Amino acid sequence: MASSSYTCIQDSATEKDRLLSSVASYGSRELLGVGTPRPTCLVGSEPEQKQEEEEEALRRKLKYFFMSPCDKYHAKGRKPFKLGLQLLKIVIVTVQLVLFGLSNQMVVTFKEENTAAFKHLFLKGYQDNVPQAVHTQKELYSHIHFAIDQYMALPQISLGRYAYVLGVGENGSALSLCQRYYRRGTIDPVNDTFDIDPHVINDCIGLNPPTYSSSPGNSDYKNFTLKFYKLINVTVDFQLKAINIQTIINNEIPDCYTFAITIVMDNMAHSGKVKISLQNQASIKECKDPNVSGHAENYAREFFDVLVAFVCLLSLLLCGRSIVRGIILQHEYVQFFKHKLGRSVSWGDRMEFINGWYLLLIVSDMFTIIGSFIKIGIESKNLSSYDICGILLGTSTLLVWVGVIRYLSFFQKYNILIVTLRAAFPNVIRFCCCAAAIYMGYCFCGWIVLGPYHAKFRSLSMVSECLFSLINGDDMFVTFAEMEQSGTLVWIFSQIYLYTFISLFIYMVLSLFIALITGAYDTIMAQTQEQVRVTDLHAFIAECADTPNSGKFRGPEGSSCSFLCCFDC
């Protein structure tokens, strides 16, 4: 004991002398066992060991961060509740969308069928999918009188159960008959002269159904004189009420509808042809004192919508927490490389910590939560925003199902789609920008030149739809055949226009587009046979040889974990 203590004291004294001396080679060489033998009682290597431990701990944290849910389960023993939550969300969000879709389908069907019924009731000689128009003054008067007469006799002739809405027309009446015309308008084609004051005058009379008013003034509409020489349009406006009882099939309380109907007789062009159309705007509200025999209040749908919103809120919090953790870990990694290794981290490695799938799920969760509350408002008859709710729930369900690809991407054979799209995306975007310039040029040219002569080129949106259909090989013969023979020059131009567009976009643009995707796929498949280039981040992580089953990921830090930490993915 005495001799060993003496030896240690002597070595410590020698070490102290050497530390005080100016020996430049002391340090790393001796720590590595090069040069003078390492003293037996030296503890000066603790800073280096601490740095190595910090570096290894960072590698382990990074490796755990980029693990799949199954590997995380083996690493720390935490069950992948977050994965289970996402699978549960896929099921309940899809069920919610299906239930809303069935209800929305009945609403849309009820509106469309009533609109069709109104057209047959109030438009004289109406035929489905045939434009309505008149060409003589007598025909125009006849259509106006027919619509009003049908309205007055609606309870006796209609198959549907409709009710009049009073106080919405001119002077508190139920129906308004209006004509809009220029204040002054004199047109003399003989002398090629005209005198027009563009200020518009609106002349209206109000009518009530005979059930509510027996005043002889209701027949004044037959003495209503139209000023044809300066007439812009004639409108007949009224509202009707109806109840959609078919919702009882889905165990829902029926909705009460108010239809705002406008019959428009358009003479704006003054071309000798007055176009006739019927417009119908429906509003939905809660019925007063609903009573369905054998039906009690059922809040199961509202409860299910609240459950969906709660699950999506929990998913949003978990995904948000994962993004925050990734940003914190990114900062730690960047600071380590900057201060310990004196190197900067590329933006590509920085973006690896921001998981785009989590951002997609957050957007999906936000849409689902908002859509669920709108759906609750619709079911409680406080809202009628079916279209907005459908867009939100439909988009969220689309994003949820797209998010399934994230879990398939953990398997190399199922990841080929995402990898190919990621590799081809930059070239595809650049190619689409160039192709879009040519496409827009053809759109504007076709709209200006062929629009007056071809039904599919009447508006810019219709031109784009027509050309896109031609790219996919649809309606080629019909597009050529419907070209009106208005003039030789325009017909020749249309042939050149269509042949050059089809040849350019089908045989060149579309083929090159497919070649870009195929080239990216071939590149990915070739890389699987070769050594893949590894980024600095993954090279740094690869130095951690600990496997998920090694037990080294089960650190003591898990004891202070919150409730949300139990959900890993």
Side-chain angles (χ1 to χ4, degrees), residues 105-371:
Q105 186 176 8
M106 286 192 297
V107 171
V108 174
T109 302
F110 188 72
K111 291 180 182 179
E112 291 179 348
E113 290 180 353
N114 276 274
T115 301
F118 295 150
K119 290 180 179 180
H120 284 276
L121 282 171
F122 301 116
L123 298 183
K124 185 177 181 180
Y126 176 77
Q127 296 180 3
D128 293 331
N129 301 320
V130 177
Q132 293 284 106
V134 295
H135 303 86
T136 65
Q137 296 181 12
K138 184 178 179 180
E139 287 180 333
L140 182 58
Y141 277 119
S142 176
H143 277 73
I144 296 174
H145 296 164
F146 177 84
I148 297 177
D149 291 339
Q150 291 288 99
Y151 173 80
M152 295 297 180
L154 186 63
Q156 290 77 36
I157 63 176
S158 173
L159 292 175
R161 182 72 171 131
Y162 299 108
Y164 298 113
V165 180
L166 303 178
V168 296
E170 185 72 13
N171 298 324
S173 60
L175 180 145
S176 296
L177 172 61
C178 302
Q179 63 170 329
R180 296 173 68 248
Y181 54 87
Y182 297 116
R183 175 185 292 174
R184 184 178 69 255
T186 302
I187 301 175
D188 187 6
V190 176
N191 299 320
D192 297 331
T193 60
F194 62 89
D195 181 16
I196 295 178
D197 183 355
H199 184 77
V200 177
I201 302 297
N202 196 16
D203 183 18
C204 298
I205 62 172
L207 303 172
N208 284 316
T211 308
Y212 301 92
S213 175
S214 59
S215 61
N218 274 351
S219 60
D220 289 345
Y221 69 91
K222 294 188 177 180
N223 299 323
F224 191 67
T225 303
L226 302 178
K227 298 175 174 55
F228 289 101
Y229 59 95
K230 52 184 178 181
L231 181 66
I232 298 175
N233 61 36
V234 180
T235 59
V236 179
D237 298 278
F238 56 90
Q239 294 185 12
L240 297 174
K241 286 186 176 181
I243 300 177
N244 183 12
I245 62 173
Q246 64 176 334
T247 55
I248 299 177
I249 299 174
N250 288 348
N251 200 26
E252 296 181 14
I253 297 297
D255 296 322
C256 289
Y257 288 73
T258 299
F259 298 105
I261 303 166
T262 301
I263 301 174
V264 180
M265 303 172 187
D266 187 11
N267 188 45
M268 186 173 294
H270 281 265
S271 60
K273 176 182 178 180
V274 176
K275 293 174 286 186
I276 302 176
S277 62
L278 185 145
Q279 302 169 3
N280 179 27
Q281 295 292 331
S283 60
I284 306 173
K285 63 179 181 180
E286 184 178 5
C287 296
K288 298 178 181 179
D289 299 328
N291 183 17
V292 180
S293 301
H295 177 84
E297 291 291 338
N298 189 356
Y299 297 99
R301 287 177 179 266
E302 287 81 355
F303 175 77
F304 182 74
D305 293 331
V306 172
L307 175 63
V308 173
F310 175 76
V311 171
C312 290
L313 178 62
L314 185 59
S315 171
L316 187 148
L317 294 175
L318 292 174
C319 293
R321 183 206 63 172
S322 299
I323 291 178
V324 172
R325 280 186 169 183
I327 294 174
I328 295 174
L329 188 57
Q330 179 207 70
H331 179 74
E332 184 178 350
Y333 173 72
V334 171
Q335 293 300 316
F336 178 83
F337 261 57
K338 181 178 180 182
H339 297 294
K340 301 296 183 180
L341 304 180
R343 295 166 54 189
S344 61
V345 179
S346 64
W347 279 104
D349 286 346
R350 289 172 185 256
M351 294 307 297
E352 289 280 346
F353 292 89
I354 309 298
N355 195 323
W357 293 111
Y358 289 146
L359 297 176
L360 183 141
L361 291 176
I362 287 176
V363 174
S364 172
D365 292 334
M366 292 176 61
F367 284 175
T368 304
I369 293 172
I370 298 173

